[in-house]
Structure formats: C-alpha cells, structure tokens
Amino acid sequence: MDRNRFRRWTPPKTIGSYRRTVLISLCFLFGGSSLLSWEVPKKETLNLSLWKKIGVVEHKEPGKKNTLKPKENTPKTGELFFDFEGEPSEPYLSESGIPFPSKSISVVSSSYLEDQNTHFFGKKSAYFSGRRNQIHLSVSGNSLFGTHPDPFSISIPLYIGEQGASSVILDRTVYVKGKKYGISLELNDGKPTLYVNHLLQKTEFRTVSFVLESSVKIKRKTWEVISIYFDTLNHRYVLYQNGIETAEYENKQADTIGFGFPENDSTPLILGKSYYGNLDGFHIHKGEPEISYTKFESVRYDDDTKIGYMEGSTAISPILETKYSNSTLQQIQWKIDEPKDTMITLYFRGSNQKFNESSSLAWTRVHSLSNDLPKHRFKYYQWKVWFRPDPTGKTVPNLQTLSFDYIEQSPPDVPTLFRLDPNTSKNKMVCFLWNSNHEKEVQNGGGYIIHYGLLPNRMVGSVFVKKDKEHQLKKIDGNEEGSGFRNKRFCVDEDTLVTNIYIPEGQLESPSDRNLADQVDISKKEKRGLLFQPGLTYYFRISAYNRYLNEWDSKDQRSTLSAPISFSFPKEISDL
C-alpha cells in the first residue's frame, strides 16, 4: 500500500485499506470525553471515561500533564482515616473513597492549611502551625476509647519542619480529682514519646501510668510513620517508627486486670495540638498496625510456600470498535515514566467477532511498540495496562500518553462497466463482462458475486461459485477463456444455477471455504434462487468481495451492488 497516496481530507477511495491514528489523551481518560485524532477525514469521539481502574488513579498536578499510575497504599479497614483530600472544615470527607466514616467518631472542629506540594497519601496534606491549627475529634461513643477496648492501633504519618522537634502531636487527657488520665503523643527533641496516664487498671481500683520513649529521632523534611499498638488483652504496648519497634512496655503482673479510659469521658481527641509540620493519613483501626509502611504496594513473601507476591494495578479500556472488520495494528506510541525496578506492560486483544468483558479471549502482551505487534485482525478490540511499583513500594511507573495506528480493511469498490457479453451462443445462457477490481485483496483470494432478480432492486438469487474441470467448487474470479483485466468474463446457464442452488452437504463447511460468499451458511443451501424461465426479463447486478469476507464476522468485506442490467429470455409460441 502506498501511504503517499493519502490526503488529510480527500483520501482516495481506490485503496483497499487505510490508516487511522488513535490518540488517547489522559487529560480526558477518566473525566469525560476523550480525544480521537484521525489521519482520514472522518472524525469521531470515543468516551473512555468508562475505563475500569483496578488499583489505578488519574494523577493531576498544577502545571503538569496528567498521568495514570497505581493507587497509593491506603489502609483498607479502620475506624477513621484522614487523607485530608476534603475541605479543612470536614477532613473526613475524603476523595480517596476510603473515608471510614464512624458514627462514634466525629469532627468537632478542624483547622489546618492545605499543602499540595507535600503529601504522603493522595494529592495534598494538612499543615499545622502550632496551637492555631488543631483537629478536635469526639470519640466518647467509640468502644476503642471506652472502659474496656479491644486491641487497637493509631498510625500517624508526619513531616516535621524546623520547629516541629518539640511538639504535641496527639492528645486526649482529662483531670479527675486532680489526677491526669489519658494519652499524649509528643516529640521531645525529635524523639517520639507516648505518655499513658493512669489507664492501666490494677486491683483495688488502682491505676498505673507508663511511658514509651523512642531513642530514634524523627528525620526532618521526610515522611515518617509513627504507630502505637495497644494490645489490651496481653497488656503489651508498642511504639513503632516506619514499621520498626522502637519502644515497648509490657505488664503481666497478677494484679493487672485491664486497660481503659475513664467512664463517661467526653474529652476530645486532639490531633496536632501543638505541632509544626505536616500530617497525612491519620488512621485508627482495630488490631495490629501495618508492619511495612510503603506508599505503594510492596512485594510479599510467604515463608511457608516460598512464593513471592506482587499483584500490581490494572487499567482496562472498554471494548472499542473500528468502522470495518479485519483491522490490523501498525504502530503503538506511548510516553511513560518507568523508574528503576518498576514495571509497566501493555496488553491487547481483538477479534472480528464481538466479545464481552468476561470473554475468554486471550490477552497478548505487546513486546514492541513498532515491531512484532499482535497479529490479530479485529473489528472489536480492548487495551489493558499493568502497573507494578518497585519492590519496596516507594516509586511507581506512570503513563502520560498512549496512541496507536491501525490499518482498517475497507470493502472493495463496485466492479465497473458491468455489461452483457453479446457473444452468447447457447440458449438459456447469459454472459457478462466487467473490469477487474484493482484491490489486491479481491485479486488474490477474493472474488465476485452475480445477483439476479425479476425487479431492478430486488435480487432473489445469487451466483458465487463455479465448477472447475475436476467438478470442484471454486470462486468466481472472471478469469474465463478470452477474458482480460478490462474484460473479466463469466457465463451463467441452468447448470450454474443448479450448482449454486443445491450445494451438496459438506462441500462448503471447511474454514477455508467459509469466505466463498455471504451465502455459505449450509442452512440456506436450498434458498439461493430460482432457475431462468423463458418469457421473463431478469435484472443482474454484480458485487466484489475481499478474501476476508466471512458471513459470521466480516460481512462488511463486500462491495455494494452495481447498477442493474437486464436480459430477456425469449419464449416460443409453441410453449403457449
């Protein structure tokens, strides 16, 4: 195919196939209409907002192009999770889809500054500047802050500034008859310290306090995760920094009977009480904290089975459709960022037969964007992109743009100069001449169909096969004796009609014969037309078809019918 013959607005219709370039703009990928750019005159719009996102998000930053990348590793369960994607007045209204709304934990008041340049989860974090910025949470109705709580954890990702080395990050304390009850998480010269005041219950109504003090300083201007595990069943309390245990207190003495907050305590839980720096992903949940704190999915290893796991994330397109069947991929282009030890892979599947999302149609991995592309011929197709972070879960690949070129197999043109051959010698025979189609898909493996009927626009029969010298059925190619490029020739007599009306069972059932014509279906073998009758005028039309014609999934690979020509079969008076 000569690509130089294409024109932007007037591509010649005389080419058997033509090239389309489809550009998927991530600016529209998940938020409305997408952009479809053609190299042929027709312009269409695909709505890719229905792409399935399995662990994938569209990431937007001011002044930068949008990117598609894996979701961040936010907790999946909990009593409360703040990623600060909502408004400062309502931080629990999360855009992450994991707000963990709790009927027993509510925001009483909230004040902080949004910081879109620094974040651990999502697209922004909360900046606290001393006592001016605090979040007060009502937790009095929550069982974790009651008199007999189940084991629970509190996790706080923080990013301290120059003044944040001495701070009160989390506090819930109350004075009862001059005695201080509650918890307070503080930074003392950058070292996390948890004060637990009179919450450990002893016999004879006594209570005990203890302190968890880490010896490891929090680094400035980097995200660090502090987690506290309250194992109230085993009376074990642990302080973690980035998943590593840095302080522990355990009390299994015989007189230790429980752990709990004062009864009917309405004191709020204050987040960022006296803190200079950023917080993000504040999380309260039952059970132990996550041991490995990673921003994205990290590799897992099972010591028992000796198998590693890393599922990754997937974006899948809807099932798309080309105008014509038998389209073929030519080139794929994309712009990606693939940091060290990450993976991003593109998959494709396509078919001329329509399929659905749950179809067993296999996916083919795209190894090269220009060479060794999937060899499918398709009218319906689908894309899948797989993203996998690095094994530590710190960095991820992302996709910025994706475009692909494919050749659409257009149907052939109508055969030209279809006419009667005046040199017919036999009775009840009519011969036809026409110009050969130029398309190589017709010349090599395609053919012609002659249609006939009693009215110009109503065809009641068709002739699409002939018998060769060995009486085998063959396609009509017009290459009869005395024919040429401008004089394709074929004659139809009663034997030809019988051959096309009554095709023996099994003659056209093999896959190689399925594309002989659109009437190949064996169920139609006795409904293909009628014999010529004397005294009637018959109208004839011709069509050409590609070698890709198939009644089941490629009916469009046939031309429209030519203008009709007519022939009258004489009737003898003796026949009356």
Side-chain angles (χ1 to χ4, degrees):
M1 183 181 63
D2 184 3
R3 292 189 178 181
N4 293 327
R5 298 178 66 185
F6 287 110
R7 300 293 183 269
R8 178 167 295 278
W9 298 112
T10 56
K13 184 63 183 70
T14 57
I15 300 179
S17 58
Y18 54 88
R19 178 172 178 256
R20 287 186 175 182
T21 300
V22 181
L23 171 64
I24 300 174
S25 171
L26 293 179
C27 297
F28 303 94
L29 195 58
F30 294 120
S33 61
S34 64
L35 177 63
L36 183 60
S37 174
W38 301 105
E39 286 192 0
V40 293
K42 183 175 180 180
K43 292 186 176 181
E44 297 180 5
T45 299
L46 290 176
N47 185 357
L48 298 186
S49 62
L50 298 178
W51 276 49
K52 288 185 178 179
K53 300 173 285 182
I54 306 174
V56 176
V57 296
E58 183 189 15
H59 184 70
K60 299 179 181 178
E61 291 187 18
K64 296 183 179 180
K65 291 185 178 180
N66 297 349
T67 59
L68 198 62
K69 69 177 186 179
K71 284 183 179 179
E72 292 163 352
N73 193 24
T74 54
K76 295 179 175 58
T77 59
E79 294 291 317
L80 185 70
F81 176 72
F82 284 166
D83 62 2
F84 301 103
E85 298 298 299
E87 298 298 324
S89 60
E90 295 181 316
Y92 60 97
L93 296 179
S94 163
E95 294 179 359
S96 69
I98 315 174
F100 299 146
S102 173
K103 295 180 180 178
S104 56
I105 299 180
S106 59
V107 178
V108 177
S109 63
S110 175
S111 173
Y112 61 84
L113 301 175
E114 295 182 349
D115 187 346
Q116 297 185 1
N117 297 319
T118 305
H119 44 79
F120 188 78
F121 293 116
K123 304 170 188 175
K124 57 187 178 181
S125 64
Y127 177 75
F128 292 78
S129 180
R131 296 183 180 273
R132 290 176 297 177
N133 301 124
Q134 297 180 2
I135 297 177
H136 288 231
L137 300 170
S138 174
V139 297
S140 58
N142 188 277
S143 61
L144 299 183
F145 295 90
T147 55
H148 301 288
D150 292 330
F152 70 100
S153 298
I154 299 177
S155 296
I156 310 175
L158 51 85
Y159 183 100
I160 64 172
E162 295 297 334
Q163 296 176 284
S166 297
S167 303
V168 181
I169 302 171
L170 187 71
D171 181 84
R172 191 197 185 212
T173 57
V174 63
Y175 287 89
V176 179
K177 295 182 179 181
K179 186 182 291 187
K180 187 177 182 180
Y181 294 85
I183 59 174
S184 180
L185 176 62
E186 303 179 12
L187 291 180
N188 294 321
D189 193 24
K191 297 178 182 178
T193 304
L194 177 69
Y195 297 94
V196 180
N197 300 302
H198 294 288
L199 299 184
L200 195 63
Q201 300 163 357
K202 297 284 189 174
T203 57
E204 299 178 355
F205 302 102
R206 293 180 297 117
T207 57
V208 175
S209 301
F210 60 89
V211 178
L212 294 178
E213 184 176 6
S214 173
S215 60
V216 181
K217 285 188 176 182
I218 294 290
K219 297 178 182 178
R220 284 186 172 88
K221 296 186 178 180
T222 183
W223 283 102
E224 302 269 331
V225 180
I226 299 176
S227 295
I228 312 161
Y229 179 42
F230 298 87
D231 187 354
T232 56
L233 297 179
N234 298 306
H235 307 302
R236 180 174 175 266
Y237 308 91
V238 187
L239 180 67
Y240 296 92
Q241 289 175 237
N242 299 318
I244 300 173
E245 181 180 321
T246 57
E248 178 191 24
Y249 174 80
E250 189 173 17
N251 191 320
K252 292 188 177 181
Q253 297 175 7
D255 62 344
T256 302
I257 59 175
F259 177 94
F261 292 86
E263 190 175 4
N264 300 321
D265 182 7
S266 61
T267 306
L269 178 67
I270 303 175
L271 180 61
K273 183 175 182 180
S274 179
Y275 174 62
Y276 294 87
N278 296 66
L279 299 179
D280 198 0
F282 176 66
H283 187 205
I284 301 173
H285 63 92
K286 292 182 180 180
E288 297 183 61
E290 294 282 344
I291 298 301
S292 177
Y293 286 93
T294 60
K295 191 169 184 178
F296 302 97
E297 176 194 3
S298 59
V299 69
R300 292 170 290 162
Y301 180 73
D302 191 319
D303 287 316
D304 296 329
T305 63
K306 309 301 181 185
I307 296 176
Y309 301 88
M310 202 167 184
E311 296 175 355
S313 306
T314 305
I316 304 177
S317 77
I319 297 172
L320 307 173
E321 182 179 356
T322 63
K323 182 177 181 180
Y324 298 113
S325 65
N326 290 278
S327 300
T328 55
L329 288 174
Q330 295 298 298
Q331 186 181 24
I332 302 172
Q333 294 179 323
W334 67 0
K335 185 177 180 181
I336 61 173
D337 180 20
E338 190 174 8
K340 186 176 183 296
D341 295 332
T342 66
M343 294 179 67
I344 180 170
T345 310
L346 180 64
Y347 294 85
F348 174 85
R349 64 177 180 175
S351 173
N352 281 322
Q353 294 184 359
K354 195 167 187 177
F355 59 93
N356 54 35
E357 298 288 348
S358 59
S359 172
S360 59
L361 184 66
W363 290 96
T364 300
R365 179 182 172 187
V366 179
H367 295 279
S368 169
L369 300 182
S370 56
N371 301 316
D372 194 28
L373 290 173
K375 304 302 182 183
H376 309 75
R377 287 192 169 271
F378 59 89
K379 180 176 176 64
Y380 304 95
Y381 63 102
Q382 195 172 23
W383 300 90
K384 178 168 66 174
V385 181
W386 182 70
F387 304 81
R388 201 218 68 192
D390 73 291
T392 64
K394 292 183 179 179
T395 58
V396 292
N398 64 72
L399 172 65
Q400 298 168 16
T401 60
L402 172 63
S403 64
F404 56 95
D405 299 348
Y406 60 86
I407 297 291
E408 276 194 334
Q409 185 61 56
S410 57
D413 289 332
V414 181
T416 57
L417 289 180
F418 181 56
R419 59 199 185 276
L420 293 171
D421 183 353
N423 300 318
T424 302
S425 58
K426 292 184 179 180
N427 190 26
K428 289 189 177 180
M429 173 186 282
V430 58
C431 294
F432 307 97
L433 298 172
W434 68 92
N435 286 356
S436 174
N437 274 61
H438 61 279
E439 297 95 348
K440 62 181 181 180
E441 293 84 2
V442 176
Q443 297 175 9
N444 300 320
Y448 301 90
I449 306 171
I450 295 174
H451 311 262
Y452 63 96
L454 296 173
L455 294 171
N457 294 315
R458 186 184 177 188
M459 301 293 101
V460 297
S462 60
V463 177
F464 58 94
V465 292
K466 62 181 180 180
K467 285 185 178 180
D468 60 13
K469 294 180 180 179
E470 288 76 28
H471 295 279
Q472 298 296 315
L473 296 180
K474 299 295 181 182
K475 301 174 184 179
I476 295 175
D477 53 16
N479 297 326
E480 309 301 321
E481 185 177 350
S483 66
F485 186 83
R486 295 188 178 278
N487 289 287
K488 290 288 183 182
R489 187 173 187 272
F490 186 74
C491 296
V492 178
D493 58 13
E494 188 170 274
D495 182 63
T496 306
L497 295 178
V498 171
T499 298
N500 281 269
I501 293 173
Y502 301 101
I503 295 179
E505 194 74 42
Q507 285 270 342
L508 296 177
E509 289 183 339
S510 67
S512 62
D513 291 328
R514 282 178 63 189
N515 58 0
L516 279 173
D518 68 333
Q519 294 93 342
V520 166
D521 190 346
I522 300 302
S523 66
K524 300 177 182 178
K525 66 179 183 298
E526 294 184 1
K527 300 178 183 179
R528 289 199 173 94
L530 71 166
L531 299 177
F532 293 152
Q533 300 176 48
L536 294 177
T537 296
Y538 285 85
Y539 295 88
F540 299 90
R541 306 174 77 175
I542 192 171
S543 64
Y545 61 88
N546 285 338
R547 64 175 180 264
Y548 306 113
L549 177 69
N550 187 298
E551 182 180 359
W552 280 262
D553 52 32
S554 301
K555 288 184 177 181
D556 60 353
Q557 296 304 308
R558 187 180 68 186
S559 73
T560 56
L561 275 61
S562 68
I565 59 175
S566 61
F567 182 83
S568 299
F569 289 91
K571 187 176 182 69
E572 298 294 336
I573 298 298
S574 60
D575 294 337
L576 296 176

